[in-house]
Amino acid sequence: MATSLFGEIIFGPVKSRRLGVSLGVNLLPTIGKVCTFDCIYCECGYNAERKGGKLPRKEEVIEALSERLKGMSEREEALDVITFAGNGEPTVHPDFAEIIDATIALRNRYFPSAKVSVLSNSTQIFKPTVFEALKRVDNNILKLDSAFQETVALIDVPNQPGFNVDNVIENLRAFEGNVIIQTMFLRGNHNEKVVDNTTDREVEAWLEALKRIAPKSVMVYSLDRPTPEQQLEKVSKEELEKIADRARALGFEVSVA
């Protein structure tokens, strides 16, 4: 397995396919993974194989981010976005909302034209503090890989008791358009089951979910990095564009990566 972890609280900057020059913020352990999903395509590997480590303290995160932004500003380096991602689900951090507010303040001080983005799997948006914090960021990027419970269970493998994708879609609707939906399209096999969220049935249900959510934009993408499940197949750019065109026909702005 060639998957890997992010070994620092602040990592990059890197050139993101979707966001530009991105400085990453990892609110999870630097030697392990903490996530409410166990996605078969996760570049960090499976949860059970990546146990270990503590969440960084709020003060550590803010100090590390402040030092990096200050240095980048002094060196007149480019920065398009500060992105919360890392080794799992960033919104599980107990101080997520306070860290977001501190990040916005630091961004305003050092790189006022940069955006603040959060890449989240949508599992914590039912929590008021998380919901309100996500409303304050520039790019509230939330995952919806399928509108079917059985497909989410196969691809994303939620580990929360009572997880229900219909409830997630309703919670996404509550952002009233202040949300970017991100969907990974892929196919293959996992545990002797066929994996494919590109079928007409899947795409039609996904489009119906988009109509319910009414996001400000949509991101569709496929595999680009090593995955813990070896029997997965990348969906071509041409096929992604065809799926994107179906969403565009409904009036949505869609990017393909």
Side-chain angles (χ1 to χ4, degrees):
M1 181 177 67
T3 56
S4 60
L5 295 171
F6 296 94
E8 300 176 282
I9 296 174
I10 309 299
F11 57 94
V14 299
K15 181 68 175 179
S16 166
R17 288 186 291 168
R18 287 151 282 176
L19 301 172
V21 179
S22 171
L23 184 68
V25 182
N26 174 32
L27 299 185
L28 293 313
T30 56
I31 60 170
K33 180 186 173 191
V34 175
C35 196
T36 49
F37 275 176
D38 201 13
C39 298
I40 62 175
Y41 61 80
C42 182
E43 65 182 297
C44 296
Y46 288 129
N47 295 349
E49 298 167 338
R50 299 297 194 186
K51 288 183 177 179
K54 297 179 180 179
L55 301 183
R57 292 181 297 107
K58 172 184 64 177
E59 293 79 10
E60 290 180 89
V61 175
I62 296 170
E63 181 179 359
L65 181 59
S66 178
E67 289 180 359
R68 182 65 65 86
L69 291 177
K70 182 176 184 292
M72 290 178 65
S73 177
E74 290 173 347
R75 293 187 296 271
E76 298 184 348
E77 296 179 17
L79 182 63
D80 296 316
V81 62
I82 301 166
T83 306
F84 285 80
N87 300 330
E89 174 51 39
T91 62
V92 300
H93 195 290
D95 298 317
F96 175 74
E98 294 175 60
I99 292 170
I100 287 294
D101 288 342
T103 299
I104 292 171
L106 289 170
R107 181 276 308 274
N108 292 345
R109 179 177 179 182
Y110 293 112
F111 286 91
S113 64
K115 305 294 185 184
V116 176
S117 300
V118 177
L119 302 179
S120 169
N121 65 18
S122 309
T123 59
Q124 304 296 296
I125 58 177
F126 68 93
K127 297 180 178 179
T129 56
V130 171
F131 180 81
E132 292 299 328
L134 289 173
K135 286 170 64 177
R136 295 194 289 273
V137 304
D138 301 289
N139 297 320
N140 172 29
I141 305 171
L142 301 183
K143 179 191 295 292
L144 181 67
D145 286 339
S146 174
F148 291 118
Q149 182 77 12
E150 64 269 22
T151 305
V152 173
L154 181 62
I155 294 177
D156 299 323
V157 196
N159 55 39
Q160 291 177 306
F163 174 89
N164 184 284
V165 71
D166 289 330
N167 292 341
V168 170
I169 291 170
E170 286 304 305
N171 289 332
L172 291 168
R173 285 186 66 189
F175 284 102
E176 298 181 331
N178 184 24
V179 61
I180 299 169
I181 296 299
Q182 177 177 257
T183 303
M184 162 72 79
F185 285 102
L186 75 169
R187 59 172 65 95
N189 291 277
H190 175 64
N191 289 341
E192 300 183 350
K193 294 182 179 179
V194 174
V195 178
D196 190 352
N197 64 343
T198 70
T199 65
D200 282 341
R201 175 177 178 267
E202 285 282 348
V203 175
E204 286 288 349
W206 176 75
L207 292 170
E208 288 299 317
L210 292 184
K211 287 193 282 187
R212 290 168 61 188
I213 298 165
K216 63 182 177 181
S217 64
V218 180
M219 295 177 172
V220 299
Y221 66 121
S222 192
L223 304 174
D224 188 54
R225 295 169 183 166
T227 62
E229 172 56 73
Q230 300 302 304
Q231 299 184 55
L232 299 179
E233 175 185 324
K234 181 175 181 175
V235 177
S236 71
K237 183 76 173 291
E238 292 74 20
E239 190 170 354
L240 290 176
E241 286 290 354
K242 290 180 181 178
I243 293 171
D245 282 343
R246 296 178 67 177
R248 291 173 182 136
L250 298 175
F252 296 111
E253 177 185 331
V254 186
S255 62
V256 176

